[in-house]
Amino acid sequence: MIILCLQMGPMEERIDLDSEEEIPFTSSPNGSKVHPLDFEKVCSASRRGSVNSWIHKQSRISPLRSIYLVLMTAKINILLPFGPLAILLHYLTRNHVLVFFLSMLGITPLAERLGYATEQLAFFTGPTIGGLLNATFGNATELIISIYALKNGMIRIVQQSLLGSILSNMLLVLGCSFFTGGIVHYNKVQEFNQATASVNSGLLLMAVMGIMFPAVLHFTHTEVHAGKSELALSRFSSCIMLVAYASYIFFQLKHQSSLPNPNRDVDEEGVTEEGSEEEESAEITQWEAIGWLAVLTLSVSVLSGYLVDAIEGASDALNIPVAFISVILLPIVGNAAEHASAIMFAVKDKLDITIGVAIGSSTQISMFMIPFCVVVGWLMGKSMDLNFQLFETATLFIAVIVVTFMLQEGKSNYLKGLMLILCYLIVAASFFVHVDPSTDDD
């Protein structure tokens, strides 16, 4: 009976029975035999262990587990019902204020889950391509909103929302990360890769140059062909910026591994031990991650349509400038996932990742998304250009200069973070009292 019982369980169960504790064959010191029911209990426990192990393995590969991980585990998913509610109210009440704010609340968890699915896919693609995927899909919300607004001819909303995303990432996200990391690690100076930060700062300055010249050409009235030279220059500059960004990506993919990394200069043993403790693995499969990326991107695109349609109505009802909504409120929704992840990495003293999330995202928006929208508008027959108007261009130029000075030392503290946050508050207040002169023209 003993042999039959042990053979019914898997090999792991037999090993556990042998290794954990030796089963006594006597129930008393005098050597009396154990009752046969005791062996039945051992067999029953072995069978239960086998069944539980089988159920656990089945649950790990079940699609239901993927649905549970994506839709149930994050606390922010409590906001998911606001998305369908916004669509319902759009057709029942036509209340633009409610539709606008409910759409914002509904898009926020979708953007965060989009980042989660991208991180899961990055486990199967490697760190470099994974970082590129994180940056790309991290800005997918802004890109979808921009293309939908561009399709409807809302060029100023496209320009201002993309500008707001750059300002939000550079000032608010990076500022909150520096401030939080500096408070948590108040007894040390946090450091990051100065070379990588300098490359991103250079790309941001190049983007400012590409955006500034069409505005200067327009406001100095020095166009060769009035109304045409500005648009032609914008399209030419956009193509150049796309080439520059493609070169930057190629450089990252081919040569990034050969660049010096200050994190590798520390004690290798300490890094190895820490890395082994914090080693993570994918929670969903590769194809599940791809499927969720498609579903979430489609959901964001649908909800973005209702959000964009409600912007002007909400602006009139609340007496808030469209510029403030486009530059301040919309980017906060799109950058919710990046904001949380950047702060989390700063708290863990991984500022290189924080810089990659905040400044890398700003670089991608300025060097890829803005010129990409110009090219898409060109194909659509829309007059999307790089003339962001004088006020917006000056704001971007000053913000890039401030961030460049903050990054030049390769060190951070809570004071730098506080200064960046205060700069963002000044920008927000400025757009709250700013009236866009070309709103009526579009």
Side-chain angles (χ1 to χ4, degrees):
M1 183 182 296
I2 298 174
I3 297 174
L4 179 62
C5 167
L6 295 179
Q7 287 179 346
M8 293 180 63
M11 182 63 68
E12 294 84 3
E13 299 296 333
R14 280 181 275 171
I15 294 174
D16 292 341
L17 288 176
D18 294 337
S19 60
E20 289 182 0
E21 185 178 357
E22 186 176 340
I23 300 176
F25 286 90
T26 58
S27 58
S28 61
N30 58 10
S32 59
K33 293 184 179 180
V34 180
H35 194 276
L37 288 178
D38 292 334
F39 293 113
E40 294 295 337
K41 293 179 181 178
V42 175
C43 293
S44 177
S46 176
R47 288 193 295 270
R48 285 198 303 270
S50 302
V51 173
N52 291 336
S53 176
W54 181 83
I55 293 176
H56 178 68
K57 291 177 181 177
Q58 292 299 316
S59 64
R60 290 184 64 183
I61 62 175
S62 173
L64 295 177
R65 182 175 182 272
S66 172
I67 297 175
Y68 172 78
L69 288 173
V70 175
L71 299 181
M72 302 296 180
T73 54
K75 295 181 180 179
I76 197 174
N77 285 348
I78 196 174
L79 301 177
L80 282 175
F82 288 111
L85 183 60
I87 298 175
L88 185 63
L89 290 178
H90 173 79
Y91 293 103
L92 294 181
T93 65
R94 296 287 179 174
N95 189 324
H96 295 292
V97 177
L98 280 178
V99 173
F100 175 75
F101 283 106
L102 291 178
S103 298
M104 284 180 56
L105 292 175
I107 286 179
T108 302
L110 292 176
E112 193 276 335
R113 290 289 85 186
L114 197 61
Y116 169 80
T118 307
E119 291 175 0
Q120 295 301 307
L121 183 60
F123 282 109
F124 304 96
T125 59
T128 304
I129 299 179
L132 180 61
L133 286 173
N134 276 317
T136 302
F137 282 96
N139 296 319
T141 304
E142 293 96 326
L143 183 61
I144 293 171
I145 293 175
S146 299
I147 291 179
Y148 187 88
L150 185 61
K151 182 181 178 182
N152 290 351
M154 301 177 179
I155 295 177
R156 288 298 293 159
I157 291 180
V158 175
Q159 294 175 332
Q160 291 171 343
S161 63
L162 293 176
L163 171 70
S165 296
I166 299 173
L167 296 174
S168 175
N169 279 298
M170 286 195 308
L171 299 178
L172 183 62
V173 175
L174 187 63
C176 290
S177 301
F178 279 3
F179 181 78
T180 307
I183 293 295
V184 174
H185 303 280
Y186 65 92
N187 57 346
K188 62 175 291 188
V189 177
Q190 291 185 293
E191 299 182 355
F192 53 86
N193 192 335
Q194 187 177 358
T196 303
S198 298
V199 171
N200 283 282
S201 298
L203 289 171
L204 286 172
L205 287 171
M206 180 180 178
V208 169
M209 184 177 67
I211 293 173
M212 183 175 65
F213 283 129
V216 172
L217 188 67
H218 174 79
F219 286 100
T220 55
H221 304 287
T222 55
E223 299 174 86
V224 175
H225 303 287
K228 296 181 179 179
S229 299
E230 171 192 337
L231 183 60
L233 176 61
S234 298
R235 291 170 175 172
F236 176 79
S237 299
S238 296
C239 295
I240 296 298
M241 292 163 69
L242 289 174
V243 171
Y245 186 74
S247 302
Y248 167 68
I249 296 300
F250 177 81
F251 178 79
Q252 272 195 323
L253 294 177
K254 296 297 182 181
H255 304 290
Q256 188 68 24
S257 59
S258 62
L259 294 179
N261 188 348
N263 291 335
R264 296 175 185 171
D265 297 336
V266 297
D267 185 17
E268 292 293 333
E269 296 181 358
V271 173
T272 304
E273 292 176 0
E274 182 182 358
S276 61
E277 291 178 0
E278 299 183 2
E279 184 178 358
E280 298 177 355
S281 60
E283 297 179 350
I284 58 179
T285 66
Q286 181 177 0
W287 288 107
E288 286 174 344
I290 295 174
W292 279 114
L293 281 177
V295 171
L296 293 170
T297 302
L298 179 62
S299 302
V300 170
S301 62
V302 171
L303 203 53
S304 297
Y306 296 95
L307 177 66
V308 171
D309 290 339
I311 288 178
E312 294 181 352
S315 173
D316 296 335
L318 297 174
N319 197 22
I320 297 177
V322 176
F324 180 81
I325 294 178
S326 302
V327 176
I328 304 301
L329 296 183
L330 288 182
I332 290 178
V333 175
N335 295 331
E338 295 170 348
H339 202 156
S341 61
I343 293 178
M344 177 189 67
F345 287 122
V347 170
K348 293 181 178 180
D349 198 19
K350 297 181 178 180
L351 278 189
D352 284 327
I353 304 180
T354 297
I355 297 296
V357 171
I359 303 301
S361 179
S362 299
T363 302
Q364 187 180 56
I365 294 172
S366 59
M367 291 295 293
F368 172 72
M369 291 180 61
I370 290 178
F372 179 75
C373 287
V374 172
V375 174
V376 171
W378 188 4
L379 297 177
M380 289 182 177
K382 307 291 183 181
S383 299
M384 171 73 183
D385 56 22
L386 295 178
N387 179 15
F388 279 42
Q389 303 298 323
L390 188 60
F391 185 84
E392 287 84 348
T393 304
T395 303
L396 178 62
F397 177 72
I398 297 298
V400 170
I401 294 297
V402 170
V403 172
T404 300
F405 275 103
M406 293 293 180
L407 298 177
Q408 65 179 353
E409 290 182 346
K411 301 177 182 179
S412 76
N413 51 56
Y414 67 89
L415 179 60
K416 288 185 177 181
L418 180 61
M419 288 166 50
L420 290 174
I421 295 173
L422 295 178
C423 288
Y424 186 77
L425 293 179
I426 293 175
V427 170
S430 301
F431 277 98
F432 188 78
V433 297
H434 171 64
V435 177
D436 187 9
S438 57
T439 301
D440 297 332
D441 299 337
D442 293 337

